[in-house]
Amino acid sequence: MSSAAARLRLFQLVSPALPVGAFSYSEGLEVLVQRGQLAGVEALEAWLRAELQRGAVAVEAAALGELQGLLSTWRHGDGGWSEVAALDGWLLAQREAPELRAQQRQMGQSLLQLLADLGWPLPAEAAALAWPAAFAWAALCLEIASPELEEAYLYGWVANQISAAVRLVPLGPTQGQRLQLALVGCIAERAEALRGSDPRQLWNGGIGAGLAQLQHAELYSRLFRS
């Protein structure tokens, strides 16, 4: 496959038109905005940079290469499925809030169903795979490798968070786009640092994010599912 074709497939994977329901989640941002802790673009940028550096999304991005390798091994008939399931379960356990675990499962299942419809099915037991493993399988099918794999994962996460913030803070769409541009360097740097890293040797410092996500279910009024 040509580099141009690979690039276009990458665009498809991070497109907001990808039917996985990411737009319906805020991952705790809704709690923080209602508390007044994220009242503007500066606070939001600081929050996103901190999560890219030390949050659960960084641990997940670090696991993508290993997941893709294990899935490739399984695809060629050399085993590896139990290792995929074990790493998938470990990553899911890093998410403290039930809403976040449900989000990861729903988005993963939606992506796997889409890939099956496109001609890349996984076995029935794969239905329980969460978002990172499903994303790694999608990248394998679309012939997307590191560092673009990690870049796409982090970029998509940031884009979804900014999309939620545009509606919650609220931010103007121009501010949102300016922030996405401002974070490009950080995304590229983190993707390069995380590829090839052992996720088990990393730590999730997103304690504030975890608490906000746990408390989302208790909000009296909410727009998002997490």
Side-chain angles (χ1 to χ4, degrees), residues 64-75:
L64 293 175
E66 183 178 349
L67 284 167
Q68 193 176 67
L70 292 170
L71 287 163
S72 179
T73 298
W74 167 82
R75 192 183 203 182

Side-chain angles (χ1 to χ4, degrees), residues 32-100:
L32 298 170
V33 171
Q34 287 198 23
R35 288 180 176 173
Q37 292 177 265
L38 290 180
V41 67
E42 294 83 5
L44 176 61
E45 180 175 357
W47 177 265
L48 294 176
R49 287 185 183 276
E51 286 297 294
L52 287 169
Q53 291 291 337
R54 299 182 294 276
V57 67
V59 179
E60 292 168 357
L64 293 175
E66 183 178 349
L67 284 167
Q68 193 176 67
L70 292 170
L71 287 163
S72 179
T73 298
W74 167 82
R75 192 183 203 182
H76 291 94
D78 298 322
W81 189 258
S82 60
E83 291 85 353
V84 172
L87 182 51
D88 173 76
W90 181 83
L91 288 170
L92 196 60
Q94 306 309 304
R95 297 290 193 165
E96 300 95 338
E99 284 187 355
L100 261 291

Side-chain angles (χ1 to χ4, degrees), residues 169-209:
V169 173
L171 300 179
T174 301
Q175 284 182 303
Q177 291 301 304
R178 186 177 290 118
L179 178 54
Q180 186 83 51
L181 284 171
L183 290 170
V184 163
C186 182
I187 292 170
E189 177 185 308
R190 293 303 291 147
E192 182 63 31
L194 292 168
R195 70 169 178 152
S197 298
D198 182 352
R200 302 166 192 83
Q201 299 302 313
L202 302 178
W203 54 277
N204 175 7
I207 298 172

Side-chain angles (χ1 to χ4, degrees), residues 57-156:
V57 67
V59 179
E60 292 168 357
L64 293 175
E66 183 178 349
L67 284 167
Q68 193 176 67
L70 292 170
L71 287 163
S72 179
T73 298
W74 167 82
R75 192 183 203 182
H76 291 94
D78 298 322
W81 189 258
S82 60
E83 291 85 353
V84 172
L87 182 51
D88 173 76
W90 181 83
L91 288 170
L92 196 60
Q94 306 309 304
R95 297 290 193 165
E96 300 95 338
E99 284 187 355
L100 261 291
R101 294 194 293 273
Q103 170 187 334
Q104 297 290 80
R105 291 192 185 97
Q106 180 272 301
M107 289 176 58
Q109 291 164 13
S110 294
L111 182 54
L112 292 175
Q113 182 59 59
L114 173 64
L115 292 168
D117 293 342
L118 293 174
W120 294 299
L122 281 176
E125 56 265 34
L129 291 182
W131 177 245
F135 196 92
W137 174 243
L140 182 63
C141 295
L142 296 172
E143 300 180 42
I144 298 166
S146 294
E148 289 82 5
L149 169 62
E150 292 82 6
E151 288 174 351
Y153 192 85
L154 296 176
Y155 180 92

